[in-house]
Amino acid sequence: MQSWGRKSLWLALSASWLLLVLLGVSPFLRLAAPPRPGLGAPQGWPRWLDAGLLQSFSQPEELLEDVPQLQAARGESCQRGACLDTSKCGSDGLKVFVYPVAGPISETHRKILASVEGSRYHTRSAAEACLLLLLLPGPHERSPVPPQWNGGRNHLVLTLHPAPRPRTFQLAQAMVAEASPTVDTFRPGCDVALPLLPEAHPLRAGAPGQLRQHSPHPRAALLALASERGRWRTADANSSACSWDGRCEQDPGGELSQPTETLPNATFCLIPGHRSDAWRFLQALQAGCIPVLLSPLWELPFSERIDWTKATIIADERQPRQVLAALQEMPLARVLSLRQQTQFLWAAYFSSVEKVIHTMLEILQARILGASAQPWLLWNSPPGALLALPTYSTHPQDFPFYHLQQGSSPEGRFSALIWVEAPGQPPLKLIEAVAASQHCAQILILWSSERPSPPRWPETSVPLTVLEGRRKASDRFFPYSAISTDAILSLDPHSSLSTSEVDFAFGVWQSFPERMVGFVTWSHFWDEARGSWGYTAETANEFSMVLTTAAFYHRYYHTLFTRSLPKALRTLADGSPACVDVLMNFLVAAVTKLPPIKVPQAKRHHEAAPRAPAGPGSGPESQPPARDCVDQLAAEFGHMPLVTSRLRLDPVLFKDPVSVQRKKYRSLEGR
Amino acid sequence: MHSVKLPFRKVVRSTALVMTRLRLRECYKWSVESPCLGLQLLSLGQRLKRAVRCIASAPRTCPGETRSPAVLTPPVQQGAKARPLPHAQCAPCQTPPGPRACALFQACSCRPDPGRGFLQPRRSSTRAAVAEECGEEAVCVIMCASVKYNIRGPALIPRMKTKHRIYYITLFSIVLLGLIATGMFQFWPHSIESSSDWSVEKRSIRDVPVVRLPADSPIPERGDLSCRMHTCFDVYRCGFNPKNKIKVYIYSLKKYVDDFGVPVSDTISREYNELLTAISDSDYYTDDINRACLFVPSIDVLNQSPLRIKETAQALAQLSRWDRGTNHLLFNMLPGGPPDYNTALDVPRDRALLAGGGFSTWTYRQGYDVSIPVYSPLSAEVDLPEKGPGPRRYFLLSSQMAVHPEFREELEALQAKHGESVLVLHQCTNLSEGALSVRKRCHKHQVFHYPQVLQEATFCVVLRGARLGQAALSDVLQAGCVPVVIADSYILPFSEVLDWKRASVVVPEEKMADVYKILQSIPQRQIQEMQRQARWFWEAYFQSIKAIALATLQIINDRIYPYAAISYEEWNDPPAVKWSSVSNPLFLPLIPPQSQGFTAIVLTYDRVESLFRVITEVSKVPSLSKLLVVWNNQNKNPPEESLWPKIRVPLKVVRTAENKLSNRFFPYDEIETEAVLAIDDDIIMLTSDELQFGYEVWREFPDRLVGYPGRLHLWDHEMNKWKYESEWTNEVSMVLTGAAFYHKYFNYLYTYKMPGDIKNWVDAHMNCEDIAMNFLVANVTGKAVIKVTPRKKFKCPECTAIDGLSLDQTHMVERSECINKFASVFGTMPLKVVEHRADPVLYKDDFPEKLKSFPNIGSL
């Protein structure tokens, strides 16, 4: 018993001591061993005990000793201030003069010249120009030093051949616009990177993007790889990294060679980084195949303003597996936005030679404008900087296109603009009906008649202003400074509208501020017999234009109409008043790529087309000029921008079998 | 009896000692925040000492014991000049032991038989941190106690009397339990907190290891100006990384001395320590040098002026993974030195990346280096609250102290020309306290507080000094003043990702005379936006060293993993804009070709007859390209193939694993078209014309929900919450998905990106999946739904078989609840109310019916 007790006591004692010893020793072990990384939690940068005593990296006295020294400007340089003397440009901004090209010129050069001359920045006088454009001939020809060279200041040397620079003269301070320049020679902020255009690139309009749907088709291949003779080779998602750049010994597998197709049908297009493959870039862009550039050695086109991270993926060619894995696992939202951005960029800046050249000039203009140039958003979201004029505003909320991105909504008021061409009774009833709308801010009478305007106008609850027009059809789309609201209700004295029609139409416009919202519609059609475009005012199941005799639209379209359309188009439209309507519809459709919107009207117009003599459908003898109008405009635009719609937006309870008392827009019910 | 009592007392004491030791540990933890570490230790030490004195009641007296432990003299270190300790501290033990608090240790060394103890004779270590020393001492005391007990213990037990045995056994068990409990205490905290808190990390900067650099050690080559990421950066090191985050390693801190023992530079500056701490605390950090992709030396080159260029370069070259500087990142804010002030760090660094403040276009390697701000210490010192929009007193302000005479002349000319609206401030010369002059600026004997005065100005000039990068830029941004940067060829901080056009005005030096004119041409609204943007840039990227360090690493990370890079909007949009703006996932205006058609998805449970009717009806629609039946009944098999109606398009049946409403919105692989028609198995009243027209409408609005029955949400002012409305209203904000067209991408969003717990909530309540879809689409596109065609008497999904009034009411209450629940999850009410619906162009027009495209619409 005792021995048992003793033993147990002994055991307990030794156990307790063992424990004590262990406890005691463990800290020793910890102290004795040097801190080993990777043991337990990561050992970060130590928290120094005396961190509070550390000195700052810079002492206040140093700030005072920061004696500035003006460094001499380094010659040979091309800094923005140095090589583009903006003081020469005056208040109008950019003015471009093109040196005449001696001798025979190539097709591409001819297109470039035509584009520059068609630009609103072009001038024919070298004296008033602030940018002198020199077109370099092909690589085998030599060009003399131009007369006003002056060390290259305010010169832009344009070359579409990715070839060595000419040796006849030093480029010095001249800016260089070159197709896919190498990153080593490219001077950011000075040079302009152009895309490498194929010989057959059209002058105007050009082929639209090939994307037909937002999301990739489930059966579309994941990858397209650049292959020999300008072809693309599509590879499946499951194919290994060995299809990369032909580095694989064994058969790549999963290959679908399609020699007939020049444009890839895949989600991603792998483009090697060599300069010689740069031309594939535009191809992929057009096809809506997201370009994956493998360590590109050339500068992406217009990288100064275009944010290519939104449309391309620039990857490291040394990491094939990672890139492939990343492409396969890319979130669908990103794939969607990349795909759509390729199409937007293609259509906005690259689809024709004209667009490329105009974009180049716009970039130079933005350099001159500095703080009042288009901000990033205007360059990188539809409809693009060529259609978002900085002279109108640099604030995205002033445009009809960016309300969603800005989290803003269109203004709740409109201005009624009544265009009076033929003298007659003032449209009193119309003025009354429009002024009664709670959203109406002002009424503007555009008096475009030979006779002087009547001295007295009816008393209205909103201010009424009379503007003197210049008796031209295009007057009605002039950006008058008197227009104070974003929304314009364009009217004709013959239009008859009720207040609730106006209110409802304005409510619809607020949902679609970038489109035209009108009551009377026309539609265009392809006349097989004549082989040309025509249009009709006949009642139809679809439409593509709304008459501006009664339509809501954003006032920005006035600016765009007057400032961006080529003069030739406006002169053409001035010839026939109906044609101005068509031109406005062309313009809005070209910008939005969407059809206008039709809203219901209770009573039918007394005349379907108010300007009966000129309008279509009123008699066979007046049709030819109007028909010509659509056809000529389509030719000038280079394509047919009009889009057809088959719907009309009605009030929610429109003609529903429910008590009229419940309906908000009763007078629209008619009858 | 006496001899028995002694061990008992001792056991109790040794336990007490253990407890004391624990408290001592507490003291360490506590001392992290406290400067009076030493005092704490001292008091504890004395207590311990008293205890030990009792234990060591041996015949011999400890020589150190009699001395006063309270005398603290700074220890003299060999080879370095004597430095006073900042606080009264427990200095390291010395041999021979000095007259100090470590007297405790001597008590140990006086034990009867030192050779048999567990203790090794301890040597002093000048390098070990004070904390460790003291820790060991405490341990040592306990060890002493235990050794003593151990020696005498065995001899005592046999002498015990039986009647006391139980008493002792109980006692020992208690002691044992106590010990176990102590052990638990001992080990618990170690496993919870990282050891960094107490054992290794608490070190002093003075005690970092010294590295001697021979005069002939290699020097790296000068920076290679042609470096690009794909030429100079070894991307293979960043290989394995599923999270797309680079791994950054920080070299441990060393002190570099040359052959003569003269230090190469100050060890580390406060800012660089902060910077390394920030990196170490971030997700990028790794402590495994073999897995690192980017290396950050702990050699501080933030400011070039105190550096010895050659030796610093040598120090860099001897880093263990230097390898010509590949994948090494150096941070430098003040480059160059007199007289010519280079714009990049002069230290030869070979291929190392440079995060530099004050790059010019000549030295900046686009896409390789990172331009960073020059940190302004005032950012931390001065708290400037954001100033709201509104007029400011001065239009243009110059507040820099060191301005070149030529620039000053031009500024003063501007001041003379424009009077009050321009203010040019100088350094104060006649102030008595020199120390404060950094925070004061003067103009004609008028003293202004800096940086507060910056908030009074709309535009603030930031001129280049000797260096291009100026700390003033940070102050100006902080004050919400729009910087007017006049420094030719300066690369603005983080210009690779930040859009400086939105927050600043850059004016060429030669145009300085026109500054006023240029600024005046900027519209007021744009100025206000720039002010907001300037402040946001400061808050996000300039405010602290941490912000600068993380932005730099993010930029490099985005280059290495471009497919996971942060977008322009995320870098540049202020939080308010990010919150309110909507980026529509289907932003491209694109009308899908009609030929593509749509896929109809019929969700069914067991109403086979009704289902077959729906299938037959829907199959008549010309644009239908496929029909998908989602069989949601797990207990019943779908009818045999032969029983299904024969239709002209492929028909597929998908069987689900669980009866969930969200099965309707699953992105099935079978859906090949973009347009999806969701239709219930009891919607037989829609005509083929109506469905075809609905598809046509969807083509024009592919980013919206296009549906037939419309519903509305209303704000109930009495209840202060949202209410669901299905009456005949003039407005519509939702469409029921019992019959609706939408883009198949929304199926993906519904299944994988639905915020919060909405999806589970819907499945649990078996209701409101359509409201959830309406919320989702409206939230992501910012657009309203489109209701098509006039209202019909729907056998609506919300009115179940028993069309009772009470049931209807509970249903409405439930639906209202859904709206309130979803609105709270989304944090906002995304639904948009509109007053229009879509009808065919000639709907109800005076026109022959047979000539209309969609004649059969709205019939009952």
Side-chain angles (χ1 to χ4, degrees):
Chain A
M1 238 352 244
Q2 213 186 25
S3 69
W4 176 84
R6 216 174 261 184
K7 265 183 198 162
S8 63
L9 192 72
W10 180 229
L11 211 73
L13 263 175
S14 35
S16 64
W17 279 116
L18 202 71
L19 211 77
L20 195 69
V21 164
L22 278 175
L23 292 184
V25 166
S26 60
F28 272 93
L29 290 176
R30 216 175 291 145
L31 286 174
R36 273 170 298 172
L39 250 184
Q43 318 238 316
W45 182 251
R47 303 283 187 272
W48 302 106
L49 282 170
D50 36 8
L53 302 171
L54 293 174
Q55 298 286 312
S56 176
F57 76 110
S58 80
Q59 301 306 314
E61 302 85 61
E62 249 177 291
L63 282 176
L64 299 173
E65 286 160 16
D66 192 9
V67 186
Q69 293 168 342
L70 287 180
Q71 293 152 343
R74 309 189 196 193
E76 294 295 301
S77 78
C78 179
Q79 283 307 313
R80 196 194 70 141
C83 60
L84 185 59
D85 183 5
T86 52
S87 59
K88 273 193 175 179
C89 300
S91 54
D92 305 341
L94 190 66
K95 282 276 166 242
V96 186
F97 170 79
V98 191
Y99 284 113
V101 183
I105 53 170
S106 69
E107 180 62 20
T108 317
H109 277 185
R110 197 189 53 74
K111 286 180 192 160
I112 291 172
L113 280 179
S115 308
V116 175
E117 277 158 18
S119 155
R120 59 176 176 275
Y121 301 122
H122 181 249
T123 176
R124 298 203 176 277
S125 136
E128 74 174 31
C130 80
L131 184 77
L132 299 139
L133 199 147
L134 177 69
L135 260 164
L136 277 198
H140 308 299
E141 297 155 63
R142 301 186 144 242
S143 82
V145 179
Q148 286 106 338
W149 183 245
N150 185 23
R153 262 173 96 86
N154 283 32
H155 272 72
L156 177 73
V157 177
L158 196 145
T159 166
L160 285 183
H161 303 275
R165 303 263 169 88
R167 292 288 164 90
T168 44
F169 54 87
Q170 284 291 312
L171 288 169
Q173 292 191 5
M175 297 178 281
V176 179
E178 191 184 358
S180 13
T182 61
V183 279
D184 298 329
T185 54
F186 186 76
R187 299 164 295 177
C190 173
D191 293 346
V192 183
L194 298 180
L196 190 55
L197 298 174
E199 278 290 320
H201 212 57
L203 171 63
R204 291 232 176 86
Q210 302 205 318
L211 207 63
R212 284 286 153 266
Q213 55 177 49
H214 288 96
S215 50
H217 195 270
R219 285 197 305 265
L222 179 78
L223 291 176
L225 303 129
S227 119
E228 309 80 36
R229 293 191 300 281
R231 283 191 205 138
W232 293 88
R233 187 159 56 88
T234 51
D236 201 30
N238 304 326
S239 72
S240 65
C242 80
S243 48
W244 193 273
D245 210 19
R247 273 199 207 148
C248 199
E249 297 87 30
Q250 77 258 40
D251 184 54
E255 183 182 332
L256 296 156
S257 204
Q258 292 160 314
T260 48
E261 280 191 22
T262 47
L263 283 163
N265 176 23
T267 307
F268 297 100
C269 280
L270 296 188
I271 298 169
H274 305 294
R275 226 175 145 201
S276 54
D277 282 312
W279 60 273
R280 291 176 182 274
F281 179 70
L282 276 195
Q283 234 182 40
L285 207 64
Q286 183 185 4
C289 177
I290 303 163
V292 179
L293 298 154
L294 305 174
S295 305
L297 300 170
W298 45 280
E299 189 73 20
L300 291 177
F302 308 130
S303 53
E304 186 175 336
R305 298 279 161 173
I306 294 177
D307 186 354
W308 281 108
T309 60
K310 289 217 155 317
T312 62
I313 290 164
I314 295 165
D316 198 309
E317 63 175 348
R318 296 170 295 173
Q319 281 184 307
R321 272 168 211 286
Q322 267 91 347
V323 175
L324 275 189
L327 296 184
Q328 275 169 27
E329 282 159 26
M330 187 161 290
L332 186 56
R334 183 105 199 273
V335 175
L336 279 181
S337 78
L338 287 167
R339 267 167 70 93
Q340 294 173 66
Q341 191 76 1
T342 58
Q343 296 297 284
F344 151 61
L345 292 174
W346 164 262
Y349 303 116
F350 298 103
S351 63
S352 66
V353 175
E354 193 177 47
K355 276 181 185 153
V356 169
I357 296 298
H358 286 188
T359 308
M360 178 190 81
L361 295 177
E362 200 64 43
I363 284 179
L364 296 171
Q365 162 82 342
R367 285 185 194 170
I368 293 167
L369 289 177
S372 40
Q374 297 103 324
W376 179 91
L377 180 70
L378 272 55
W379 277 95
N380 292 289
S381 52
L386 294 182
L387 293 169
L389 305 181
T391 44
Y392 170 71
S393 170
T394 53
H395 206 271
Q397 285 173 16
D398 291 340
F399 292 90
F401 318 113
Y402 313 106
H403 284 300
L404 272 178
Q405 284 113 310
Q406 293 287 304
S408 60
S409 47
E411 220 182 336
R413 297 166 74 71
F414 68 85
S415 309
L417 180 67
I418 305 173
W419 184 58
V420 185
E421 185 195 25
Q425 281 299 310
L428 295 182
K429 242 178 125 183
L430 181 67
I431 292 175
E432 213 170 278
V434 170
S437 166
Q438 50 173 335
H439 303 293
C440 184
Q442 59 175 166
I443 293 179
L444 300 164
I445 309 283
L446 179 58
W447 194 260
S448 201
S449 170
E450 302 273 330
R451 279 205 263 158
S453 64
R456 286 180 60 85
W457 287 89
E459 286 289 317
T460 50
S461 51
V462 292
L464 187 146
T465 322
V466 180
L467 305 168
E468 281 297 327
R470 289 163 302 158
R471 289 186 284 284
K472 269 203 283 182
S474 53
D475 261 7
R476 49 188 321 187
F477 301 127
F478 187 80
Y480 299 101
S481 55
I483 303 171
S484 61
T485 58
D486 281 348
I488 295 177
L489 171 60
S490 170
L491 291 167
D492 196 272
H494 308 283
S495 321
S496 69
L497 289 177
S498 69
T499 309
S500 62
E501 280 168 345
V502 170
D503 278 345
F504 176 70
F506 182 64
V508 170
W509 178 84
Q510 282 182 303
S511 291
F512 306 96
E514 77 278 21
R515 302 204 206 177
M516 288 173 90
V517 175
F519 296 89
V520 186
T521 53
W522 288 343
S523 52
H524 74 286
F525 59 89
W526 176 253
D527 192 336
E528 287 285 352
R530 290 162 51 114
S532 67
W533 290 103
Y535 75 110
T536 171
E538 277 166 33
T539 313
N541 280 301
E542 49 191 38
F543 66 93
S544 55
M545 289 179 270
V546 295
L547 259 72
T548 53
T549 51
F552 277 101
Y553 52 81
H554 198 281
R555 74 170 158 156
Y556 173 63
Y557 289 119
H558 275 202
T559 309
L560 209 55
F561 187 94
T562 312
R563 305 257 179 268
S564 88
L565 282 181
K567 218 172 194 158
L569 277 180
R570 271 180 292 142
T571 352
L572 179 79
D574 271 338
S576 133
C579 202
V580 184
D581 256 353
V582 178
L583 179 55
M584 190 60 167
N585 275 285
F586 262 69
L587 176 69
V588 178
V591 171
T592 60
K593 300 184 168 47
L594 293 170
I597 287 173
K598 177 177 166 59
V599 284
Q601 200 180 15
K603 284 170 285 177
R604 294 191 62 78
H605 271 241
H606 299 301
E607 302 148 280
R611 288 178 301 278
S618 55
E621 71 285 342
S622 64
Q623 281 210 356
R627 267 175 191 274
D628 280 354
C629 169
V630 176
D631 210 39
Q632 279 174 8
L633 289 182
E636 282 287 326
F637 269 76
H639 67 299
M640 170 49 77
L642 294 177
V643 187
T644 300
S645 171
R646 312 187 77 178
L647 61 93
R648 183 182 74 196
L649 293 184
D650 294 336
V652 171
L653 297 181
F654 185 69
K655 302 208 173 172
D656 271 359
V658 67
S659 161
V660 164
Q661 296 309 311
R662 277 181 178 256
K663 298 185 181 178
K664 190 178 171 188
Y665 301 102
R666 276 163 233 162
S667 66
L668 264 72
E669 303 281 317
R671 264 184 282 261
Chain B
M1 279 298 281
H2 286 275
S3 52
V4 179
K5 272 178 187 167
L6 185 67
F8 164 59
R9 251 179 29 229
K10 287 197 172 177
V11 169
V12 173
R13 284 219 181 98
S14 63
T15 317
L17 278 173
V18 173
M19 300 310 287
T20 320
R21 184 178 170 247
L22 281 174
R23 290 169 65 178
L24 192 62
R25 248 204 80 204
E26 289 286 42
C27 160
Y28 283 129
K29 282 207 271 180
W30 179 82
S31 69
V32 176
E33 292 93 35
S34 160
C36 59
L37 166 81
L39 293 175
Q40 280 292 319
L41 281 179
L42 189 63
S43 75
L44 270 172
Q46 274 179 325
R47 234 178 287 161
L48 277 173
K49 196 191 144 207
R50 245 179 284 128
V52 174
R53 214 181 280 162
C54 287
I55 301 161
S57 57
R60 274 172 284 169
T61 324
C62 193
E65 206 180 301
T66 48
R67 294 189 194 153
S68 162
V71 186
L72 286 170
T73 50
V76 177
Q77 287 184 344
Q78 279 185 322
K81 60 181 182 178
R83 275 181 298 185
L85 283 170
H87 309 290
Q89 279 183 350
C90 189
C93 282
Q94 303 276 330
T95 1
R100 34 184 299 277
C102 272
L104 294 166
F105 174 64
Q106 291 149 22
C108 300
S109 58
C110 298
R111 66 182 171 225
D113 193 354
R116 279 173 53 199
F118 300 92
L119 281 174
Q120 295 297 313
R122 290 175 51 227
R123 251 169 279 102
S124 74
S125 153
T126 47
R127 241 178 286 154
V130 174
E132 295 170 19
E133 291 285 341
C134 290
E136 285 181 49
E137 268 165 28
V139 174
C140 127
V141 170
I142 296 149
M143 297 308 298
C144 289
S146 42
V147 167
K148 274 171 207 302
Y149 184 74
N150 219 358
I151 293 161
R152 300 179 90 183
L156 289 170
I157 293 165
R159 277 186 267 155
M160 270 195 305
K161 285 189 180 166
T162 324
K163 59 176 176 181
H164 296 297
R165 194 180 295 148
I166 295 170
Y167 176 66
Y168 281 121
I169 287 175
T170 328
L171 203 78
F172 271 100
S173 349
I174 292 170
V175 170
L176 198 66
L177 277 172
L179 275 171
I180 291 167
T182 321
M184 296 286 277
F185 272 115
Q186 184 83 23
F187 285 112
W188 264 114
H190 279 292
S191 50
I192 289 173
E193 350 160 329
S194 70
S195 53
S196 62
D197 257 281
W198 111 276
S199 60
V200 258
E201 295 293 342
K202 282 288 143 208
R203 283 184 284 155
S204 164
I205 284 176
R206 283 187 310 279
D207 299 325
V208 297
V210 176
V211 176
R212 194 173 290 272
L213 294 169
D216 57 348
S217 65
I219 303 174
E221 280 173 34
R222 290 207 63 84
D224 181 358
L225 265 177
S226 65
C227 264
R228 293 289 180 274
M229 284 309 262
H230 56 263
T231 54
C232 292
F233 193 85
D234 180 8
V235 80
Y236 297 113
R237 284 187 186 279
C238 314
F240 316 99
N241 209 323
K243 282 193 219 143
N244 292 331
K245 273 239 183 264
I246 52 169
K247 288 277 163 222
V248 184
Y249 176 80
I250 306 174
Y251 287 99
S252 59
L253 189 60
K254 304 251 169 62
K255 184 177 176 160
Y256 295 93
V257 294
D258 60 13
D259 271 341
F260 307 101
V262 183
V264 167
S265 67
D266 295 341
T267 325
I268 191 166
S269 68
R270 187 170 65 222
E271 281 79 6
Y272 201 56
N273 181 43
E274 263 174 51
L275 194 147
L276 295 180
T277 310
I279 296 177
S280 149
D281 290 347
S282 70
D283 290 349
Y284 298 107
Y285 181 73
T286 178
D287 58 353
D288 185 355
I289 195 166
N290 295 314
R291 294 185 56 188
C293 152
L294 196 65
F295 303 89
V296 180
S298 57
I299 302 165
D300 182 1
V301 292
L302 274 186
N303 184 356
Q304 191 189 309
S305 37
L307 294 181
R308 292 165 65 187
I309 304 284
K310 179 178 154 236
E311 286 78 2
T312 309
Q314 285 173 332
L316 285 175
Q318 58 77 50
L319 291 172
S320 57
R321 298 288 167 110
W322 178 249
D323 183 25
R324 298 190 60 203
T326 314
N327 293 22
H328 280 63
L329 175 65
L330 303 179
F331 284 90
N332 168 253
M333 288 184 182
L334 299 175
D340 56 346
Y341 286 100
N342 192 358
T343 51
L345 182 68
D346 280 322
V347 175
R349 52 186 192 279
D350 214 338
R351 293 170 147 193
L353 292 120
L354 184 60
F359 273 119
S360 77
T361 43
W362 313 105
T363 47
Y364 180 63
R365 294 171 287 182
Q366 178 102 28
Y368 193 67
D369 291 329
V370 183
S371 177
I372 59 169
V374 180
Y375 176 69
S376 166
L378 287 182
S379 298
E381 277 176 37
V382 189
D383 178 38
L384 284 183
E386 186 170 1
K387 201 179 175 192
R392 296 187 174 201
R393 199 167 154 204
Y394 306 106
F395 184 69
L396 183 64
L397 174 77
S398 160
S399 62
Q400 280 161 294
M401 290 195 283
V403 176
H404 191 274
E406 267 184 46
F407 287 148
R408 184 169 294 283
E409 261 172 45
E410 299 224 33
L411 285 172
E412 275 163 1
L414 279 175
Q415 192 175 21
K417 195 171 161 196
H418 300 284
E420 283 285 281
S421 62
V422 179
L423 181 67
V424 181
L425 297 176
H426 301 251
Q427 184 187 345
C428 293
T429 44
N430 48 2
L431 283 180
S432 46
E433 325 89 304
L436 275 171
S437 68
V438 183
R439 304 272 302 272
K440 294 265 192 293
R441 297 287 192 276
C442 291
H443 173 67
K444 291 185 188 159
H445 308 299
Q446 202 182 347
V447 183
F448 293 87
H449 292 277
Y450 184 87
Q452 285 83 351
V453 66
L454 295 172
Q455 285 199 315
E456 300 293 317
T458 309
F459 290 100
C460 295
V461 176
V462 181
L463 279 165
R464 71 174 161 99
R467 297 188 179 95
L468 284 171
Q470 293 287 316
L473 179 63
S474 174
D475 300 336
V476 166
L477 292 173
Q478 186 183 10
C481 184
V482 180
V484 180
V485 181
I486 307 181
D488 282 358
S489 79
Y490 175 44
I491 304 283
L492 281 159
F494 302 131
S495 57
E496 188 173 334
V497 290
L498 296 193
D499 186 354
W500 280 98
K501 291 181 202 90
R502 282 171 73 171
S504 71
V505 183
V506 179
V507 177
E509 284 171 22
E510 61 172 22
K511 291 246 175 171
M512 206 170 145
D514 304 334
V515 159
Y516 200 85
K517 208 175 75 190
I518 294 172
L519 298 179
Q520 266 192 326
S521 68
I522 302 173
Q524 190 59 37
R525 199 158 50 148
Q526 196 179 344
I527 292 176
Q528 275 176 18
E529 209 131 284
M530 286 171 126
Q531 286 173 334
R532 249 199 313 272
Q533 191 75 12
R535 174 75 187 192
W536 151 247
F537 275 181
W538 179 80
E539 276 169 9
Y541 310 112
F542 281 68
Q543 192 171 23
S544 61
I545 287 283
K546 184 182 177 186
I548 297 173
L550 294 186
T552 310
L553 292 184
Q554 183 67 52
I555 287 175
I556 295 172
N557 195 67
D558 284 1
R559 290 182 193 157
I560 295 165
Y561 304 108
Y563 29 81
I566 284 186
S567 70
Y568 169 92
E569 288 92 343
E570 278 172 85
W571 280 108
N572 289 287
D573 282 351
V577 176
K578 274 186 200 140
W579 176 243
S580 66
S581 78
V582 177
S583 66
N584 186 356
L586 308 169
F587 63 86
L588 187 75
L590 186 74
I591 296 184
Q594 194 183 19
S595 57
Q596 206 183 68
F598 65 90
T599 307
I601 301 182
V602 192
L603 185 74
T604 188
Y605 190 72
D606 56 1
R607 289 184 286 198
V608 176
E609 196 184 327
S610 164
L611 168 73
F612 284 176
R613 270 187 74 189
V614 169
I615 291 175
T616 321
E617 284 300 317
V618 171
S619 67
K620 291 178 190 160
V621 182
S623 285
L624 178 75
S625 76
K626 194 185 227 179
L627 218 151
L628 206 63
V629 175
V630 179
W631 189 262
N632 225 358
N633 190 343
Q634 284 77 41
N635 304 320
K636 205 168 135 188
N637 286 338
E640 274 180 49
E641 210 174 307
S642 56
L643 298 174
W644 291 85
K646 301 281 169 292
I647 55 172
R648 57 173 184 87
V649 293
L651 189 149
K652 280 232 170 147
V653 181
V654 181
R655 300 198 61 185
T656 57
E658 219 180 318
N659 181 17
K660 289 196 291 185
L661 275 179
S662 50
N663 287 339
R664 136 172 300 172
F665 297 132
F666 188 82
Y668 297 100
D669 287 339
E670 284 82 5
I671 308 173
E672 292 192 5
T673 60
E674 289 206 298
V676 172
L677 167 69
I679 189 159
D680 280 349
D681 59 359
D682 55 354
I683 304 291
I684 44 174
M685 63 295 290
L686 285 174
T687 63
S688 162
D689 267 355
E690 282 167 335
L691 286 172
Q692 178 66 23
F693 177 66
Y695 173 64
E696 297 280 338
V697 173
W698 175 85
R699 281 179 57 226
E700 213 178 297
F701 304 99
D703 53 348
R704 304 194 188 214
L705 272 175
V706 175
Y708 296 84
R711 292 291 181 268
L712 183 66
H713 72 285
L714 289 169
W715 182 253
D716 189 338
H717 287 283
E718 281 171 31
M719 309 286 282
N720 250 352
K721 57 182 197 181
W722 296 106
K723 194 172 140 236
Y724 180 76
E725 181 64 67
S726 69
E727 284 298 306
W728 295 74
T729 52
N730 282 294
E731 292 160 325
V732 62
S733 65
M734 286 176 272
V735 291
L736 301 183
T737 52
F741 285 95
Y742 57 86
H743 195 282
K744 71 171 173 188
Y745 176 64
F746 297 133
N747 269 352
Y748 166 83
L749 282 187
Y750 186 96
T751 308
Y752 300 111
K753 306 279 164 179
M754 181 64 93
D757 58 340
I758 290 180
K759 210 174 141 229
N760 292 334
W761 200 85
V762 165
D763 286 337
H765 287 73
M766 280 302 250
N767 199 352
C768 299
E769 89 285 6
D770 49 352
I771 298 184
M773 190 57 148
N774 274 282
F775 265 75
L776 181 77
V777 175
N779 187 56
V780 78
T781 62
K783 293 183 178 178
V785 295
I786 302 272
K787 175 192 159 30
V788 258
T789 66
R791 182 164 175 140
K792 288 191 155 190
K793 184 70 190 155
F794 254 78
K795 198 186 142 210
C796 54
E798 50 197 56
C799 334
T800 32
I802 324 141
D803 214 341
L805 190 70
S806 62
L807 195 69
D808 204 38
Q809 266 180 355
T810 51
H811 176 77
M812 299 309 262
V813 170
E814 257 179 51
R815 303 278 281 182
S816 298
E817 230 168 76
C818 289
I819 295 187
N820 284 300
K821 154 87 184 167
F822 298 163
S824 73
V825 172
F826 278 87
T828 173
M829 169 48 76
L831 298 179
K832 301 268 182 294
V833 180
V834 289
E835 295 183 328
H836 51 250
R837 68 158 202 247
D839 287 327
V841 173
L842 298 176
Y843 173 68
K844 296 257 172 172
D845 264 2
D846 214 356
F847 199 70
E849 287 293 317
K850 59 184 172 194
L851 292 180
K852 290 185 182 175
S853 297
F854 306 101
N856 194 7
I857 275 185
S859 56
L860 293 170

